[in-house]
Amino acid sequence: MNQSIGNPVNRVEDARLLTGQGKYIDDIGTPANTAHAAILRSTYPHAEIVSIDTAEAEQEPGVKAVITGEQIKQYMKPFSVGVSAPVKYYPIAIDKVRYVGEPVAVVLAKNRYIAEDALGKIKVKYEAQKPIVDIEQSLEPDAPLLHENVGSNIANHRTFDYGEVDEAFEEADHIIKHKYNFPKYSATPVETYGILANYENSEDRYTINANFHGPFIIQAVMAQALGIPGNKLRIIVPKDIGGSYGIKAGAFPYMVLLAIASRIASCPVKWIEDRQEHLSASSSGTDRVTYIEAAVKNSGKVTGVRMKMIDNVGAYIRAPEPACLYRTHANSTGAYDIPNLHIEAIATMTNKLPTGLIRGYGGQELYFPLERLMQRVAKELDKDPADVIRENLIKKHQFPYKTASGGMYDSGDYERGFELALETGKYTEFRKKQQEARKKGKIFGVGLANIVEPSGSNMGYITVALTPEERASSLPKSGCAEAATVSMDPTGSVNVRISTTPSGQGHETVAAQIISDVLGISMEKVNVVAELDTSTSAWSIASGSYSSRFASLGSSAVFYAAHKVRSKVFKIAAHQLQVEEKELDLKGGSIFVKNDPDKKYSLKRAVGTAHWNPLALPEGMEPGIYETYYYTAKNTEPPDDQDLINSSVTYGFVSDLVTVEIDPDTADVEIIDYVTIHDAGKLLNPKIVDGQIYGGLAHGLGGALYEELAYDEKGQFLTGSFMDYLCPTAPEMPKVTIKHIETPSPITPLGAKGLGEGNTMSAPVAVANAVSDALSPYNIEIDTLPLSPNYIWGLLSESEIYQNQKEVNA
């Protein structure tokens, strides 16, 4: 084989992207007679809809239709949800609005300008109800109800016990606990939602072009809601998606809304979301309250953990929620050897934007309290945080390591990665400098975070939201299937069709590298087709771009499909050369006999035979070269009756060290240095890997320092533009040092694990640990994010120690 995999090959996608030849959703040709949509949205967080008067809007010149929830309801059923609570969710308000930004009516016009103008002509009469936005208050018996038929605001509630939790706490030398709050924030891709929907009356079929990235189980959810067979809902995803970070999974309600609008108006419908709509009404990560406590020995060893996690899923629980609660279920104890675990998981609904997939999905919410707790253990035991971490890290000899909740960590050397972070970040030296700096009134801190990065979701994990008894009444769910098709044309060039809907991660490049290695041809001869068409592509319910699944699953499907092609051309060559297949090898475009290299048969000739001379093929062989492979890992079984679940295929490791200085005059946090060590198994393309790490880190730093989808206590949305919703840009990125170790996964054929979400999970808590460390002389504890100057200034203002020190220094 060639050796393209593992090398920093330039991305093949970049030529078209850098020259303006990318094919995004708004680049798709608009059919004749297409109506452009604008959406009227609620300005109330919680209100009954008394009436909607659309008459004046309908009379506007150029308006084709004005559509309300009552009309949409005639063509669909509520979306199915993965919980037993009977929450009815439609893509538009029917009789009640439950968050600011919820769709109330859709105007279709000959252009967007007319449609937007007509929105102002619609008269909606509301009867306001009391809103609820606070997570814990939503659980109170007297809290305002969002869904009266449910009877409470709780959408899902489960409790899990693994190991001997009570015994661990009874035998503990210390019980250390705290409450942590994680904020609601989002992703801000360059390209917002975009949809072109068309209902074809002659075939009773919906065709939707959208920058939806999966998971494609949602296709079934949409078809079920529309009351049609799956083959009557065709979804086409363009080869280029301008970023997603999970958020574009949330496009599916709008896909259904506009598909029905197309049916009502009898014309294609196009809608491109604007930025304000995206921030207020697309999707977001969950905000979470976590109560966490640890049973700790005098040595710093944690023997048991109890967690109560309360997720705010927003106004409606919608697919794939409550997955944020359970996506990290198998790795709930992170990188630590903690044998006893209790989890209480609650998903509650409030008058906020509904939540969904986001980069790091559930990881940032999990690791914020877990890693903050580790630092708190060190503080209460008067130990160095590094020593507490060493005491608890899973050791190399323990791999493969089974977690208390059923996860199977496939490989790793966490101690090596952690020590490399300490060495690279000069941890011991910084501690000495910190002591000197504090004497001069400077506020320095260092933060550590060690996290496990799961990749390749086991589709069975979401069913942990149900009890074993509830699961037993339906078809078991498991696996992580991904598909790829490799074909060779009569000239010997290759087409590869993937179903992982990339949004900038470089899937095309890595797929071409794999084909080059397996088939012994140059990458220039490989064309990768990234568009997904549910009517023509090979795909599964798990297909899509999420859960860092390409490296572990998508690449594996490409690898095995390429080997099916390789096997076929070897059979053809063996038949022509009159030798056994095992005697053959492939190099430089030729198939040759290992012991007699002069005896060879060109790859192009073998392929040509399959196309041009099928009667010369071995007996029983089909003509042509066209092979599809569906890959699923064998370690992704359904949850058992004890709720044990290996919720991901592979598990990487990230160790971060961050140093900060806080300006005493402005309370601004400056990151001095950021060191991040990654173990993602075999690196398929180091150049792409480092690009993904930078992106994940930027997203994580946004959550740590800047980003929050903020609401006031009355449910009004406060951060509807980039003037209020702050995102890090290039100047805000600190100095970053990236290093790698490689412990190949025994699960995947290439030894690869997913990567790209790790720092989104680790950065918020790494920075929080550093800031908390910096402020520790003033007895200040960080238990929420983001760490804005206003927030830190408030903490310093309330610290008697800090104020007294200021007076002394003055």
Side-chain angles (χ1 to χ4, degrees), residues 299-369:
S299 65
K301 175 66 177 175
V302 177
T303 59
V305 168
R306 290 178 176 141
M307 287 188 286
K308 180 179 181 179
M309 304 181 295
I310 313 169
D311 269 15
N312 172 21
V313 297
Y316 303 90
I317 189 165
R318 64 184 185 187
E321 293 285 35
C324 189
L325 274 170
Y326 303 110
R327 156 85 165 98
T328 57
H329 196 78
N331 53 290
S332 293
T333 49
Y336 305 114
D337 180 22
I338 302 174
N340 305 297
L341 175 66
H342 169 86
I343 297 175
E344 183 180 5
I346 303 172
T348 189
M349 294 176 286
T350 71
N351 295 111
K352 291 184 179 181
L353 163 69
T355 61
L357 294 179
I358 187 173
R359 194 176 200 166
Y361 198 39
Q364 48 269 64
E365 291 93 340
L366 168 70
Y367 293 125
F368 183 68

Side-chain angles (χ1 to χ4, degrees), residues 511-593:
Q513 288 180 262
I514 294 169
I515 297 299
S516 176
D517 282 4
V518 174
L519 298 183
I521 60 176
S522 67
M523 287 180 60
E524 288 72 22
K525 288 190 174 183
V526 182
N527 174 52
V528 181
V529 181
E531 300 100 310
L532 187 145
D533 184 331
T534 56
S535 291
T536 62
S537 300
W539 60 282
S540 84
I541 57 110
S543 288
S545 177
Y546 61 98
S547 184
S548 298
R549 63 193 306 277
F550 180 79
S552 55
L553 302 172
S555 70
S556 299
V558 172
F559 178 82
Y560 283 121
H563 271 277
K564 287 180 74 173
V565 169
R566 179 184 170 100
S567 176
K568 185 166 186 176
V569 295
F570 268 41
K571 283 182 170 64
I572 295 171
H575 181 67
Q576 295 294 327
L577 296 173
Q578 297 298 301
V579 296
E580 297 290 327
E581 289 176 55
K582 62 184 179 182
E583 300 177 47
L584 299 176
D585 204 348
L586 172 63
K587 188 176 182 180
S590 291
I591 304 169
F592 60 90
V593 179

Side-chain angles (χ1 to χ4, degrees), residues 133-137 178-185 286-292 308-312 352 364-370 372-373 703-704 707-708 764-765 768 781-787 791 795:
V133 293
D134 183 87
I135 292 177
E136 293 185 278
Q137 288 179 8
H178 200 67
K179 172 188 171 184
Y180 295 96
N181 296 280
F182 196 86
K184 181 184 185 72
Y185 69 97
T286 58
D287 38 334
R288 176 182 292 180
V289 171
T290 302
Y291 290 87
I292 187 169
K308 180 179 181 179
M309 304 181 295
I310 313 169
D311 269 15
N312 172 21
K352 291 184 179 181
Q364 48 269 64
E365 291 93 340
L366 168 70
Y367 293 125
F368 183 68
L370 184 63
R372 288 292 299 117
L373 184 71
E707 299 184 45
E708 182 178 14
V765 68
E781 177 87 5
I782 297 298
D783 51 23
T784 191
L785 297 173
L787 301 174
Y791 174 62
L795 295 177

